[in-house]
Amino acid sequence: MTLDQINILESIKNLLHFNFLLLISYPVIGAFAWFVGALCFKFLFKYNINEWLKIPQNIEPLITIMIPAHNEEVVIEGTINYLMTKLNYSNYEVIVMDDGSTDQTPVILKRLRDVYPNLRTIRIEKNKGKAHAFNIGIGFAKGKLILSNDADTVPEPDALIKYVNTLLYPNSNNVAAITANMDVRNRTKIIAKSQTVEFSSIVGIIKRTQQAVLGSIYAYSGANTLYVKKALIDVGLFRQNRATEDISIAWDHQVHGWQALFAPEIMFFMEVPENLSMLYHQRKRWAKGGTEVWLTNFKLILAHPFQSVGRTIMFIDQTLSITWAIFFWLSTILFLIQIIGYCLTQNWGQITQMLTDSAGLVCCETMVGFFQLLASLIIDDHRSKIKYFKFAPFYMLFYWIVNTLTIVTTFVSAVKTILGRGSGVWVSPKRQGDFNLSEKE
């Protein structure tokens, strides 16, 4: 073997060693970065709103609230009744796109149209997915502002006023969308309560960091986001073959030079999964959509890495996230194989060493995770969610494992979508239909 070959092998070895250390430390580095970003948002971001202006009714811009619905008989009536009677805003309409429902959803909508004159419904005979339903609805929307609203989601009463206030930012002509702060409506089971921790610690803190450090956010909350209609049209509306239309169009807006804002003071309440089966199916869609966006923008980022530094940073983070999920499960499988092998050979010393090393690593990552969770709960919603910190261990147990698993199990299907074999057809999850927002367990 020549000296050059030895040097090449040594370089490859060093590179693999560096990548291994990077993957091992990624959760710790990520948690610290999001925490610092949240502090930047709290103390340095110049567009925080401390006072909401009253909008006179005679100058309220018309807002079209759009609800895509597929087999939503459990929740659709409660959602529409809430939107029609609880919002502190007058100049709005509601359009429900009934996307091929086969339950009682069309019957309920027909009855509600006789009750509310500003309710319109569009019947789409064949289920073609949420993005397709949105694109159809946009053609009938009268408002220049469009609020996406899932069938199981309700915004706070002052949400529309606050959305309009946010559009009063200086230089807001380039704003494509404003996404609000998610909260859990059905806090009856541990899994649901644990997601309250996630919305604050993961979703909320990431959006704060993106906004404050990178200047814009790269994922909307599709359950409740206010879009500027001309910005939707400019990017060709929603991609119909993507699993998560909200993440996809957020990146499309960035590519076309639009800006997006996160408004943590605007709250909306959504129903979340209450068992592991529902959670897994929800996260499969989220994971597949995230990977699809990553694959869609792969060529663009590699060709123009410095065109948008923020976009490139988010792409690198997504790359590490996907790689780490695959690494996590491969290393777990190899770890178990080694443990079984040492058990068969009765090599108890090696087993003890492996368990000790892995326990130390897990403890380190868990401590950093707890620190991030606690800090984010303190920052979010005026510290009202701090009581849910006790559910952090359940969040780490359920959500971290499920999230990494769904990235791995949906990777191939995401690749198929990018190759033109994807479909936006959806199946609605099981709903609880509980609209009591006053009781927060």
Side-chain angles (χ1 to χ4, degrees):
M1 184 176 293
T2 65
L3 181 61
D4 289 340
Q5 290 175 327
I6 294 175
N7 290 334
I8 292 174
L9 290 175
E10 188 66 25
S11 298
I12 294 174
K13 180 181 177 181
N14 291 335
L15 180 61
L16 292 174
H17 183 65
F18 172 78
N19 290 333
F20 177 77
L21 292 177
L22 180 62
L23 288 172
I24 286 290
S25 59
Y26 169 68
V28 176
I29 297 173
F32 181 75
W34 298 131
F35 171 71
V36 172
L39 293 180
C40 292
F41 183 89
K42 179 70 175 179
F43 298 107
L44 301 179
F45 186 55
K46 62 182 179 179
Y47 289 141
N48 284 324
I49 295 180
N50 298 316
E51 182 179 358
W52 303 102
L53 302 175
K54 292 184 177 180
I55 310 296
Q57 290 189 6
N58 61 327
I59 63 170
E60 287 179 347
L62 175 61
I63 297 177
T64 297
I65 301 176
M66 298 179 57
I67 306 175
H70 175 69
N71 291 344
E72 300 286 6
E73 62 182 5
V74 176
V75 295
I76 192 64
E77 185 167 4
T79 298
I80 293 175
N81 286 334
Y82 180 97
L83 294 174
M84 292 298 184
T85 60
K86 301 297 184 181
L87 298 183
N88 299 324
Y89 201 86
S90 59
N91 193 20
Y92 69 96
E93 63 171 352
V94 177
I95 298 179
V96 180
M97 293 81 69
D98 176 15
D99 190 26
S101 294
T102 56
D103 61 357
Q104 291 298 305
T105 298
V107 177
I108 296 172
L109 292 175
K110 182 178 180 181
R111 172 165 48 82
L112 291 174
R113 283 201 307 270
D114 296 331
V115 179
Y116 302 113
N118 58 335
L119 170 66
R120 291 188 289 156
T121 62
I122 300 171
R123 172 67 180 178
I124 303 171
E125 291 299 327
K126 185 178 181 181
N127 173 12
K128 293 186 177 181
K130 186 177 180 181
H132 176 264
F134 265 130
N135 291 345
I136 294 295
I138 289 170
F140 293 87
K142 297 178 181 178
K144 294 183 179 180
L145 301 177
I146 296 176
L147 179 68
S148 68
N149 195 96
D150 281 358
D152 65 337
T153 300
V154 291
E156 64 168 301
D158 289 333
L160 298 188
I161 294 176
K162 291 181 177 180
Y163 272 127
V164 173
N165 265 261
T166 308
L167 282 174
L168 298 178
Y169 277 136
N171 303 319
S172 64
N173 289 335
N174 201 40
V175 172
I178 304 164
T179 199
N181 196 358
M182 293 184 286
D183 202 353
V184 176
R185 197 181 75 208
N186 53 320
R187 299 176 185 173
T188 57
K189 297 183 179 180
I190 289 179
I191 291 183
K193 292 177 180 179
S194 299
Q195 195 156 341
T196 301
V197 177
E198 179 185 43
F199 283 166
S200 293
S201 65
I202 303 299
V203 179
I205 206 169
I206 288 176
K207 283 184 169 60
R208 283 175 170 85
T209 300
Q210 292 175 359
Q211 185 75 84
V213 179
L214 306 181
S216 190
I217 61 175
Y218 289 81
Y220 302 143
S221 301
N224 201 262
T225 290
L226 185 75
Y227 295 98
V228 176
K229 187 177 182 179
K230 64 180 180 181
L232 294 174
I233 295 173
D234 183 58
V235 299
L237 303 181
F238 293 94
R239 294 177 185 254
Q240 297 185 28
N241 62 343
R242 296 295 188 263
T244 51
E245 82 295 332
D246 45 358
I247 301 176
S248 179
I249 200 167
W251 278 77
D252 288 344
H253 278 149
Q254 300 301 325
V255 171
H256 284 74
W258 290 93
Q259 185 183 19
L261 300 177
F262 174 54
E265 299 299 325
I266 306 177
M267 302 298 301
F268 70 91
F269 306 89
M270 62 180 293
E271 187 175 295
V272 299
E274 292 192 333
N275 59 59
L276 287 176
S277 176
M278 293 170 60
L279 175 64
Y280 178 75
H281 283 89
Q282 179 199 62
R283 296 314 161 103
K284 277 184 63 178
R285 187 177 68 85
W286 291 9
K288 183 173 181 288
T291 303
E292 288 170 354
V293 170
W294 178 71
L295 292 169
T296 299
N297 293 278
F298 197 96
K299 183 178 179 180
L300 173 66
I301 300 300
L302 290 182
H304 306 284
F306 301 109
Q307 187 179 68
S308 172
V309 175
R311 188 171 64 216
T312 300
I313 291 174
M314 286 307 304
F315 181 82
I316 293 173
D317 177 71
Q318 184 71 2
T319 302
L320 289 173
S321 179
I322 293 172
T323 306
W324 185 84
I326 297 172
F327 167 78
F328 171 80
W329 284 104
L330 286 177
S331 61
T332 299
I333 293 171
L334 291 175
F335 179 84
L336 294 175
I337 292 174
Q338 281 189 297
I339 290 292
I340 294 172
Y342 289 137
C343 286
L344 294 176
T345 59
Q346 298 185 358
N347 192 342
W348 310 120
Q350 194 64 39
I351 292 175
T352 302
Q353 184 64 44
M354 289 182 63
L355 292 177
T356 302
D357 292 343
S358 60
L361 178 62
V362 170
C363 287
C364 179
E365 294 184 353
T366 301
M367 288 180 63
V368 174
F370 274 128
F371 180 73
Q372 176 192 342
L373 298 179
L374 179 60
S376 57
L377 288 171
I378 292 174
I379 292 173
D380 194 40
D381 200 17
H382 308 288
R383 296 182 293 277
S384 65
K385 299 176 184 177
I386 190 66
K387 60 185 178 181
Y388 291 99
F389 182 68
K390 60 188 175 184
F391 297 102
F394 298 100
Y395 163 71
M396 292 182 175
L397 176 63
F398 295 131
Y399 288 84
W400 281 12
I401 298 298
V402 171
N403 287 346
T404 56
L405 180 62
T406 53
I407 289 175
V408 174
T409 56
T410 60
F411 188 85
V412 173
S413 61
V415 173
K416 290 181 178 179
T417 297
I418 300 303
L419 296 177
R421 297 172 59 186
S423 171
V425 174
W426 59 339
V427 177
S428 293
K430 295 180 180 179
R431 306 295 195 189
Q432 304 299 317
D434 180 12
F435 277 82
N436 188 359
L437 301 181
S438 60
E439 295 183 4
K440 298 296 177 67
E441 298 291 336

